[in-house]
Amino acid sequence: MKVLVAEKQKTDAKAAQVILALQRVVELQTTAALTAGLERIPDQLGYLVISEDGVLASAGELENDEHTAGVLMQMVRTACRLRLSGCPEPPFKRMSVILDDFVYTVTVSAQKVFVVKRQNNQREPISV
């Protein structure tokens, strides 16, 4: 009887390892799917993918930047409170935060917030 119990415990432990490995594969595939387009954006300095639960993915200058993620999510929440009465959709799909040296482009899609940091290539206005 003890042998059967020991074998069952080994089988359960192996099954748990397989389940964890499969969960990691799914997480990696999901992250790759989320970030595939972001990595191809020209001149991007970094990106964040954020949900209500926190940062799902990050890279470049925004890698592991929880502070910036929190500030931008608060800006998104504030902007979402500006809904027009009777309109179920958020009042915007894209928001730009323009600073002297760089721009954060924020896009809301599928309950996720996608942030890309790009160099701000300001051009002087043309005088005519």
Side-chain angles (χ1 to χ4, degrees):
M1 187 65 152
K2 289 182 182 180
V3 172
L4 289 175
V5 170
E7 287 299 318
K8 172 125 175 65
Q9 289 175 339
K10 286 181 186 177
T11 303
D12 290 347
K14 286 181 183 178
Q17 289 175 340
V18 169
I19 290 170
L20 285 173
L22 288 172
Q23 286 175 332
R24 286 188 200 114
V25 168
V26 168
E27 287 173 10
L28 289 173
Q29 289 175 337
T30 302
T31 300
L34 287 173
T35 61
L38 299 174
E39 292 173 354
R40 292 191 304 258
I41 294 175
D43 303 327
Q44 61 102 348
L45 301 173
Y47 63 80
L48 291 164
V49 180
I50 314 166
S51 73
E52 285 295 330
D53 297 328
V55 176
L56 302 175
S58 62
E61 292 183 11
L62 296 178
E63 188 161 8
N64 300 320
D65 192 343
E66 298 283 338
H67 176 74
T68 300
V71 169
L72 291 169
M73 279 300 286
Q74 190 58 44
M75 291 175 75
V76 168
R77 286 186 196 103
T78 300
C80 283
R81 287 197 302 258
L82 302 173
R83 290 181 188 233
L84 300 174
S85 60
C87 184
E89 283 117 37
F92 70 97
K93 291 184 181 179
R94 192 163 292 118
M95 172 175 65
S96 295
V97 179
I98 303 169
L99 304 171
D100 287 337
D101 298 328
F102 50 87
V103 176
Y104 292 109
T105 303
V106 181
T107 303
V108 179
S109 177
Q111 304 298 314
K112 292 177 186 60
V113 176
F114 298 85
V115 179
V116 175
K117 181 179 180 180
R118 296 179 76 183
Q119 196 69 42
N120 186 7
N121 298 322
Q122 290 181 339
R123 295 190 173 93
E124 293 298 319
I126 299 173
S127 300
V128 191

